[in-house]
Amino acid sequence: MTEPAPRSRRKRMTGKERREQLLTIGRTLFAERGLDGTSVEEIASAAGVSKPVVYEHFGGKEGLYAVVVDREFERLLSLVTDALNSAIHYRSKLEKAALGLLEYIEESPDGFRILVRDSHGGTGTGSYASLLSEIAGEVEHILAQEFKRHGYDDKAAPMYAQSLVGMVALTGQWWLDVRKPGREEVAAHIVNLAWNGLSGLEPRPYLDPKRRRKELERMEKQREKAQARADKAEAKAERAEEKAAAKAEKAQRKARREDGADEEGVLAGQPDAPETETGGAAETDPVRDPAEIATR
């Protein structure tokens, strides 16, 4: 096993290299323990330097923390704003912004953990809330233009911007720990909800336009088949209803005929007119002329 080189033979770092080393070490420790849980001694020990070196470069752990936060703040803000401005279609803007945040979380989990912590009051650095506010400002500008184009009230743009950014940001915090499903699938589901709303969700959302178009075509065929089945069922129900109505009408006609036959039977059973003493049927005496009666 090779022995480590004596301190005197190690390559000396430049001031810039030492500064970057301390920033990298501080970033890891702050993500794991936070500002209050990290000491200058730990930072110096991890870097293999004395405490005065840390003070020389940053004036203490608070100064180091402030630079780390500012760097992560600017990096994430740049990723999201560049994504929003790089696409033309509004769905693409949303897709790229969601992917930008998730990409940052995946590649810089320590940086994201630092950002989502409440920034220390004494550092003067931006917090995660202020970062989201700046991103929401970018989204608000885009939404206001789109609202005007469609004749909507652009005064509602700030509220919608906060809602969209909040949804993506909270999902990102959740995904930081679970990491399932994959980045693109998470982004696709975020956009699915943001773009379509709960009432129009795509069963299988995709970021790839070709796959999304195929999925929409598949859904349209399914809807057509479902509509055809519904039409067939409705026609069957109508036929059954017509058949039932015809059967009921037939039964009514039969009942009327039976009622008529019963009435005829009653009439046939009635007694004949009374007979006279001569055995003939009684005849009605015709009305005679008064002159004829007088001659008799």
Side-chain angles (χ1 to χ4, degrees):
M1 182 175 179
T2 306
E3 294 291 333
R7 185 178 297 272
S8 58
R9 293 174 55 189
R10 293 178 188 172
K11 180 182 177 181
R12 292 179 60 85
M13 289 186 179
T14 63
K16 184 178 180 180
E17 289 173 338
R18 179 66 69 190
R19 179 181 174 84
E20 290 301 319
Q21 180 205 27
L22 292 172
L23 284 169
T24 300
I25 291 171
R27 184 169 173 265
T28 301
L29 292 174
F30 292 141
E32 180 182 348
R33 306 177 188 180
L35 174 63
D36 293 332
T38 304
S39 65
V40 174
E41 288 86 354
E42 289 173 319
I43 296 169
S45 175
V49 297
S50 61
K51 289 169 55 178
V53 174
V54 179
Y55 288 111
E56 177 186 348
H57 283 279
F58 299 102
K61 68 174 184 178
E62 289 80 8
L64 175 57
Y65 183 80
V67 175
V68 169
V69 171
D70 284 344
R71 279 193 173 189
E72 299 304 323
F73 186 102
E74 292 300 327
R75 183 183 175 192
L76 180 53
L77 181 62
S78 177
L79 276 171
V80 176
T81 53
D82 288 350
L84 288 170
N85 295 320
S86 65
I88 298 175
H89 190 270
Y90 287 91
R91 177 162 182 156
S92 297
K93 288 178 181 289
L94 184 57
E95 289 174 348
K96 289 191 174 184
L99 273 176
L101 174 63
L102 296 174
E103 177 184 348
Y104 171 79
I105 293 172
E106 189 172 57
E107 296 179 356
S108 306
D110 286 347
F112 189 71
R113 284 191 175 92
I114 292 171
L115 287 177
V116 297
R117 293 178 186 273
D118 290 336
S119 295
H120 197 273
T123 64
T125 59
S127 66
Y128 187 54
S130 63
L131 169 66
L132 296 182
S133 182
E134 288 203 33
I135 295 174
E138 295 285 336
V139 175
E140 176 186 334
H141 176 69
I142 294 169
L143 286 180
Q145 292 178 326
E146 184 70 359
F147 281 15
K148 285 182 180 178
R149 192 166 71 88
H150 285 87
Y152 300 154
D153 184 4
D154 61 341
K155 292 180 181 178
M159 178 174 61
Y160 279 89
Q162 293 287 341
S163 300
L164 287 172
V165 172
M167 179 176 68
V168 176
L170 283 174
T171 305
Q173 288 180 245
W174 164 79
W175 189 69
L176 173 65
D177 295 319
V178 298
R179 296 300 181 89
K180 289 181 180 180
R183 180 175 67 194
E184 291 203 354
E185 189 174 346
V186 173
H189 283 283
I190 291 174
V191 175
N192 188 23
L193 177 59
W195 189 258
N196 296 306
L198 287 173
S199 63
L201 288 179
E202 299 165 3
R204 299 177 185 174
Y206 296 105
L207 297 181
D208 183 359
K210 291 182 179 178
R211 295 186 70 184
R212 187 164 62 244
R213 186 167 55 252
K214 288 182 179 179
E215 177 64 16
L216 292 175
E217 290 172 355
R218 185 188 69 81
M219 289 172 58
E220 182 60 29
K221 288 179 181 178
Q222 282 189 339
R223 279 194 292 266
E224 290 175 356
K225 289 181 179 179
Q227 186 61 49
R229 288 194 298 268
D231 292 343
K232 185 177 180 180
E234 184 178 358
K236 184 178 180 181
E238 288 178 356
R239 288 195 299 270
E241 186 176 348
E242 291 172 357
K243 186 176 180 181
K247 186 176 180 181
E249 185 178 353
K250 184 178 179 181
Q252 289 176 356
R253 287 199 302 267
K254 182 179 179 182
R256 285 197 296 269
R257 285 197 302 269
E258 290 175 350
D259 290 343
D262 291 343
E263 289 177 2
E264 290 176 1
V266 170
L267 292 174
Q270 288 182 351
D272 293 335
E275 297 181 351
T276 62
E277 294 181 358
T278 58
E283 292 182 0
T284 304
D285 190 21
V287 178
R288 295 182 179 182
D289 185 87
E292 181 183 354
I293 298 173
T295 57
R296 288 188 177 183

